[in-house]
Amino acid sequence: MPFIGSFVPPGDKSVSHRLVLMSLLAQGEMLITGLSGCEDVNSSLNAFRALGGQARPEGSGLKIKGLDSQWSNFDGLEIDCRNSGTTMRLLAGILAGVPGRYILDGDDQLRRRPMERVAEPLRLMGARVSSQSGRPPLTIEGRPLSGIDYSPAEASAQVKGAVLLAGLSAKGQTRVTESKATRTHTENLINHFHGHVVTEGLKLTLSPGRLRLPPAFDTPGDPSSAAFFLVPAAFTPGSRVTALNMLLSPTRTGFLKILDRMGARVTMTMTSDSPEPTGDVTVEYGGPLTGTVVTADEVPSVIDEIPILALASTQAEGQTVYRQVDELRFKETDRLMSIRHQLGALGARVWIEGNDLFTEGPTSFIIPKELDSGRDHRLAMTLSMALYAAEAHIPIIGAESIGISYPNFEEHLNSLWQK
Ligand code: S3P
């Protein structure tokens, strides 16, 4: 059965985290509309409130009062980031330069994720940061910081973001040079909040300074959520799905380029370009998809979409390869293995060579008794879409994790799927 119709995806999760967390460093008041109501962003809001931030509903939005780093000198404040790596990593950057001692912890999945990638540059800037063999909990003692010139080993917007946010209170400029372009929300929002970051290719230079909130901010829709309907529309005959008011930053919409080259019909209409490009996107089935090569440079722009793209490529003719996707090993689960095992359990030809992921299609799924998402929200949604495409109904273990990023997934699924 096809997917047909239009929907408004939830507010972008990456932008939502930053709106909330960067308010810790900014003065002024901002009315946010469309903030994501997902569990991860709630973890950032809890952290914001634990540090003394005020946020209250106003109309259909949330009014946030900037804290301008004016919080008590906490000695050993524990902040539970629950499942949210973005909360922990960006908060580490924010806290590195403010006096006090903070302990950032999380759930069992977050406790397995690497934190040395943010701890190292923050230490180089002058903060005291300790971890449990590179993993949470992180203890941060804020100190006066100095700007650094840093080239992260991983292509990570969270690492870049943490260093830039720490740099706001540092002495001197902070430079970050990336190996590959990652999502640009931290630098865009710093500039939108009257800070100063200059981007020259892959090099960013930040001048320290205070941030000031704009009076209002309308959060664009999340492409990483919308992808769970736009991608299946590309491989399900008769489908045509439109995501309205979606973020269109090129560092987030790599999956649309990939679907286009695999043979789907993709159209985009930009409705606004500031502070982030936003608009409507339609994906329409345009005949059977064909396999493609997703290059290492493209990977950061599709890092969260690889599970659902991998599902699409099991339905495409021929081989698809995703080059150098080892960062997937460090997500909520080892997503490289989860993709291989769970799509493999459906009878798809999926394998890993070194750090590359391969699929060979098209595949008619064999339906097992159950599937296991490992409580990884993006895996759970991918498996859900695989089962809808195959019109099969079996349990997905850990599907309750979907609320981590997409609370109204089920509602949108019911409105788009033409039963
Ligand atoms: C994010 C960046 C990405 C992404 C994550 C959100 C962000 O992680 O996978 O879901 O908001 O900065 P990395 O920066 O670790 O690649």
Side-chain angles (χ1 to χ4, degrees):
M1 295 295 168
F3 297 96
I4 297 176
S6 58
F7 69 113
V8 181
D12 186 66
K13 182 157 90 71
S14 291
V15 171
S16 296
H17 276 298
R18 286 161 173 81
L19 291 174
V20 171
L21 294 174
M22 287 170 63
S23 296
L24 289 166
L25 299 176
Q27 45 181 309
E29 276 195 297
M30 168 172 66
L31 179 64
I32 310 174
T33 42
L35 188 78
S36 170
C38 72
E39 288 171 30
D40 265 9
V41 171
N42 283 336
S43 298
S44 281
L45 263 174
N46 289 346
F48 174 75
R49 290 193 168 109
L51 288 159
Q54 290 173 35
R56 58 183 159 79
E58 191 177 294
S60 61
L62 186 77
K63 185 88 170 231
I64 280 211
K65 190 161 184 294
L67 247 185
D68 201 15
S69 312
Q70 302 299 311
W71 61 82
S72 338
N73 188 336
F74 291 104
D75 182 18
L77 179 73
E78 271 196 49
I79 298 179
D80 185 359
C81 304
R82 303 192 297 187
N83 196 256
S84 177
T86 313
T87 305
M88 185 172 286
R89 295 193 179 116
L90 294 183
L91 201 51
I94 287 171
L95 297 173
V98 288
R101 196 168 61 88
Y102 309 90
I103 299 153
L104 306 185
D105 206 350
D107 67 10
D108 56 329
Q109 274 183 340
L110 186 52
R111 277 186 168 203
R112 287 196 292 269
R113 298 182 65 183
M115 291 298 149
E116 211 34 51
R117 51 180 64 194
V118 286
E120 180 192 272
L122 298 178
R123 276 186 212 116
L124 291 172
M125 296 177 87
R128 286 210 187 134
V129 186
S130 61
S131 64
Q132 303 294 311
S133 311
R135 321 221 163 240
L138 278 184
T139 302
I140 298 170
E141 287 181 53
R143 288 273 186 279
L145 305 179
S146 307
I148 49 168
D149 197 334
Y150 195 67
S151 303
E154 306 81 14
S156 164
Q158 296 181 354
V159 174
K160 169 177 67 177
V163 175
L164 292 177
L165 294 175
L168 284 170
S169 64
K171 198 161 148 264
Q173 291 188 324
T174 293
R175 272 184 207 89
V176 180
T177 307
E178 298 195 277
S179 55
K180 298 183 185 81
T182 66
R183 61 194 72 190
T184 51
H185 310 307
T186 310
E187 52 271 39
N188 287 353
L189 287 177
I190 289 176
N191 284 334
H192 191 62
F193 292 178
H194 306 275
H196 192 67
V197 187
V198 176
T199 303
E200 295 159 285
L202 294 172
K203 191 172 103 186
L204 293 105
T205 307
L206 169 115
S207 304
R210 293 171 81 177
L211 299 181
R212 203 157 19 93
L213 298 176
F217 194 100
D218 188 33
T219 320
D222 193 336
S224 303
S225 295
F228 289 102
F229 300 112
L230 295 175
V231 175
F235 66 77
T236 311
S239 297
R240 189 176 200 274
V241 171
T242 301
L244 301 166
N245 194 37
M246 190 184 99
L247 184 69
L248 294 179
S249 320
T251 52
R252 297 293 302 283
T253 49
F255 73 100
L256 295 171
K257 260 170 62 187
I258 291 165
L259 290 180
D260 181 69
R261 81 177 181 250
M262 292 175 86
R265 290 196 198 115
V266 180
T267 47
M268 276 188 237
T269 317
M270 206 189 284
T271 50
S272 154
D273 68 350
S274 173
E276 301 270 7
T278 304
D280 304 335
V281 177
T282 299
V283 175
E284 192 177 353
Y285 180 78
L289 299 181
T290 48
T292 187
V293 177
V294 177
T295 66
D297 277 340
E298 280 181 308
V299 165
S301 74
V302 290
I303 191 70
D304 293 335
E305 291 71 69
I306 291 175
I308 190 71
L309 279 174
L311 170 64
S313 61
T314 66
Q315 303 307 304
E317 279 168 12
Q319 201 177 75
T320 297
V321 53
Y322 301 84
R323 297 274 181 221
Q324 293 179 39
V325 287
D326 38 314
E327 267 299 307
L328 290 180
R329 297 187 197 276
F330 309 111
K331 297 299 177 188
E332 285 77 339
T333 56
D334 174 343
R335 268 191 196 149
L336 205 45
M337 293 307 277
S338 312
I339 291 170
R340 178 163 84 79
H341 284 144
Q342 296 306 308
L343 294 182
L346 286 162
R349 292 187 295 281
V350 185
W351 69 100
I352 299 163
E353 285 176 24
N355 288 325
D356 297 344
L357 174 71
F358 290 81
T359 63
E360 173 92 47
T363 303
S364 293
F365 289 143
I366 304 159
I367 306 301
K369 276 212 199 62
E370 62 183 21
L371 289 165
D372 189 352
S373 69
R375 284 188 296 119
D376 180 330
H377 52 125
R378 300 204 197 275
L379 242 293
M381 288 185 275
T382 299
L383 298 176
S384 213
M385 297 318 287
L387 293 177
Y388 273 87
E391 297 184 34
H393 302 285
I394 55 160
I396 300 172
I397 300 170
E400 69 282 358
S401 61
I402 289 172
I404 286 174
S405 62
Y406 201 161
N408 49 351
F409 172 75
E410 192 84 25
E411 181 201 319
H412 288 167
L413 178 55
N414 287 329
S415 86
L416 295 170
W417 193 54
Q418 306 300 305
K419 303 175 249 308

